[in-house]
Amino acid sequence: MPAATRTCLVTGAGRGIGRAVAQRLSAEGHRVALTARSTDQLGQVAATLPGPSLVLPADITVASAVDEVFAAVEAEWGAVDVLVANAGSGVSAKLADTTDEMWRGQLDLLLTAPFRCVRRAVPGMVERGFGRVVVVASIAAKRGEPYIAAYTAAKHGVLGLVRAAAAELASSGVTVNAVCPAYVDTPMTDVTVAAIAEKTGRSLAEARAALAARQPIGRLVTPEEVAEAVWLCAVNGAVTGQGINVDGGAVQS
Ligand SMILES: NC(=O)c1ccc[n+]([C@@H]2O[C@H](COP(=O)([O-])OP(=O)(O)OC[C@H]3O[C@@H](n4cnc5c(N)ncnc54)[C@H](OP(=O)(O)O)[C@@H]3O)[C@@H](O)[C@H]2O)c1
């Protein structure tokens, strides 16, 4: 990005990857609006940022909340230049046990909410001839994994959204990319580790080590490594329509 201070909006900024992305954008000199449901976590993140921040608590799956969050940023700082659609969580079940509620919940959070955010952000970006959209997807956007059909379908879907939007906007100065991590050392992965431990009778440390060993690099990805890839998408105007794997070599595509 040019040296100008940009207005950034990060969803799911209260912990994990979103927190690391917010910290990176702020450290690079940009103002960062933070949204998630937990006001206290957003406040804790805001307190760590070296630059200006806005705390905007919202459930991003509520359609009206998307407009309210963008309107609040615009009222304070003007239009969003950099959108990082990161908010997410996962449910795990066998395909046959995946309920309509689980399916709908994953699509609402991981596909429809990013779609609404991108749709809200893009017109202003096109008007100004500059914009960066980065969706935090997953390697589950690239390949199938057992017991996470709804999550995998939603992540494949959001990569489709990214590719279509990038194709449509390529000549406008707006880039649209996805970052696709494998297991990252965040609270979301702590939940996965606890589930493995419960199912297998292993200790938490053993379950975490087993998860790390499944990745070619032999360890979990760090949130900062994901934030670094988000930053690449922010600074490089020639990278668009990509799903950039940050996965320790798990998926070679
Ligand atoms: N961790 C991994 O191994 C991994 C791997 C690949 C992809 N990812 C993806 O990376 C993204 C971030 O994951 P993470 O590991 O950083 O998870 P995390 O540590 O659990 O953080 C998730 C963030 O999303 C927010 N969020 C969840 N539901 C929300 C809702 N309905 N409305 C608004 N905010 C919501 C959470 O805040 P509140 O709960 O307070 O709302 C939190 O700030 C997700 O999209 C995830 O699918 C993670």
Side-chain angles (χ1 to χ4, degrees), residues 9 11 60 66 70 80 83-86 111-126 132-136 158 161-166 168-169 174-177:
L9 171 62
T11 76
I60 205 70
V66 171
F70 275 84
V80 171
L83 166 66
V84 183
N86 161 78
L111 181 54
T112 305
F115 160 66
R116 289 183 179 135
C117 289
V118 174
R119 183 177 60 182
R120 181 62 172 76
V122 153
M125 292 176 172
V126 171
R132 298 286 183 259
V133 175
V134 187
V135 175
V136 179
V158 85
L161 167 71
V162 162
R163 288 170 168 161
E168 190 172 320
L169 299 169
V174 180
T175 65
V176 188
N177 291 288

Side-chain angles (χ1 to χ4, degrees), residues 8-27 30-57 77 86 187 223-224 227:
C8 310
L9 171 62
V10 181
T11 76
R15 55 182 187 262
I17 293 169
R19 177 173 65 177
V21 169
Q23 287 170 336
R24 180 64 190 262
L25 292 169
S26 182
H30 303 288
R31 40 184 181 243
V32 189
L34 314 165
T35 188
R37 291 167 301 181
S38 317
T39 311
D40 55 339
Q41 291 187 352
L42 294 175
Q44 286 163 20
V45 174
T48 70
L49 301 185
S53 61
L54 275 180
V55 167
L56 303 169
W77 290 336
N86 161 78
E224 291 72 26

